[in-house]
Amino acid sequence: MQGFILSFRSEFYKTRKTMGFWSAVLLPLLLCLLLFIGFFVKSDHMINTPPMVIWFQFAGAILGIMGLLLLPMLIIFIAYSVNNVEHKADTWKTIFSLPISKLSVYAAKYFYAFFLVFLCLSLFVLFTLGFGNLLSTVKPSLKFNEYSIADILTKIYFKFFLASLGILSIQFLLSLLFSDFLKPMGIGFVCTITGSILATNNWEYAYLFPYSHPMMAMRALSQGQAKGGNHPSPINLHLTIDMFTKDTWVSLIIAVVVFIAGYFIVLKKSVK
């Protein structure tokens, strides 16, 4: 356990100045800030909007692109960035020769990427709530303070997080095995587009394809699906969130299986 903690801490110090780390922090901040500015500028057109509706419009502007493209591409970039530090410095043989178990080193790198994804989605929740409440202060007519979306929003982003773990494990392994940016990025991008197409067209086995899971999580958030509807909206006023749907379970299973398989691949393969 001590080896894992030391390796995890080392990952932080090695990546704290990289784009991978700062993208997890700045992306939520910048997107929510732009959203804040947009609502502030157009506030006069939203004065009569009910508090619940305006909250869902505010949060839904980001949720609308999260499942389609933003979340998968962010995961691809984070997974690559965590392993790219070793690729650039050519230190794989060095870190695996340290007096720390290979499992601790491998697990620490994986869970650091896991942590960055969790951090990013948590910041999306915090910044969405923060900027929404700030709008109610600077523009009281928008009435953000008359409704709380905190519970629903937290559940939505946690479901996104669970849906992303299968992709994270696959991309982590790809970025570990390939030193260049194009291979893991290219494979991830093609799979993301494929997954979006499969989920959008309601293919019955789309839940087996991990790159479909963020889009499926997005589509599963409304009461419409609970009642059998096929086109739920991120700003539906009566969201029902089934956290552990079959696509979520598949995502978790793939995450565990690929994580374990990746460890044995790393043991047997010379990582360059």
Side-chain angles (χ1 to χ4, degrees):
M1 188 64 183
Q2 185 177 4
F4 172 82
I5 295 172
L6 289 173
S7 296
F8 189 91
R9 186 182 302 167
S10 174
E11 290 303 317
F12 170 73
Y13 285 117
K14 286 187 292 186
T15 62
R16 70 187 189 278
K17 295 182 180 180
T18 64
M19 283 299 297
F21 176 83
W22 285 105
S23 65
V25 176
L26 294 179
L27 182 65
L29 176 61
L30 292 176
L31 288 180
C32 291
L33 178 60
L34 290 174
L35 197 59
F36 170 85
I37 294 171
F39 270 66
F40 181 83
V41 171
K42 297 184 178 180
S43 60
D44 292 340
H45 303 287
M46 305 177 185
I47 293 177
N48 296 321
T49 306
M52 181 187 294
V53 175
I54 200 168
W55 260 118
F56 277 99
Q57 288 177 343
F58 188 73
I62 294 176
L63 290 172
I65 62 170
M66 180 65 72
L68 178 63
L69 190 62
L70 184 61
L71 181 57
M73 297 308 296
L74 176 67
I75 292 169
I76 292 168
F77 183 69
I78 287 176
Y80 171 78
S81 297
V82 169
N83 289 317
N84 186 50
V85 174
E86 261 64 53
H87 286 309
K88 287 178 66 176
D90 195 21
T91 54
W92 282 112
K93 291 182 180 179
T94 301
I95 65 170
F96 281 123
S97 64
L98 294 172
I100 300 174
S101 71
K102 290 182 174 64
L103 178 59
S104 294
V105 174
Y106 174 77
K109 292 188 77 68
Y110 176 83
F111 280 100
Y112 185 70
F114 178 99
F115 163 74
L116 289 181
V117 175
F118 183 81
L119 173 66
C120 182
L121 295 181
S122 298
L123 290 177
F124 267 114
V125 175
L126 293 175
F127 287 140
T128 299
L129 295 174
F131 280 114
N133 283 293
L134 181 59
L135 274 171
S136 71
T137 301
V138 297
K139 291 285 185 178
S141 59
L142 293 182
K143 301 178 182 179
F144 276 94
N145 60 329
E146 295 183 12
Y147 182 77
S148 175
I149 197 178
D151 182 62
I152 293 174
L153 197 64
T154 300
K155 290 179 180 178
I156 290 174
Y157 275 99
F158 185 66
K159 185 171 179 65
F160 273 130
F161 175 69
L162 296 177
S164 72
L165 294 182
I167 300 175
L168 176 62
S169 289
I170 294 171
Q171 289 299 142
F172 180 82
L173 180 58
L174 290 175
S175 63
L176 192 92
L177 298 177
F178 299 116
S179 59
D180 63 301
F181 178 70
L182 291 178
K183 287 188 181 71
M185 184 69 181
I187 293 171
F189 181 74
V190 171
C191 289
T192 297
I193 298 300
T194 303
S196 297
I197 292 172
L198 295 178
T200 302
N201 287 280
N202 297 318
W203 187 48
E204 60 179 321
Y205 299 113
Y207 69 93
L208 296 175
F209 190 63
Y211 292 83
S212 296
H213 294 164
M215 173 64 79
M216 295 185 72
M218 177 71 183
R219 291 164 54 81
L221 295 178
S222 74
Q223 187 180 35
Q225 187 179 44
K227 293 182 177 180
N230 291 323
H231 302 285
S233 165
I235 59 171
N236 189 293
L237 300 185
H238 303 286
L239 288 175
T240 56
I241 302 170
D242 187 359
M243 195 67 68
F244 293 98
T245 52
K246 59 183 178 181
D247 52 287
T248 304
W249 284 113
V250 171
S251 177
L252 295 174
I253 292 170
I254 289 175
V256 173
V257 171
V258 175
F259 172 78
I260 296 172
Y263 173 65
F264 288 105
I265 290 172
V266 167
L267 285 181
K268 293 182 179 181
K269 185 179 178 65
S270 175
V271 183
K272 298 181 181 179

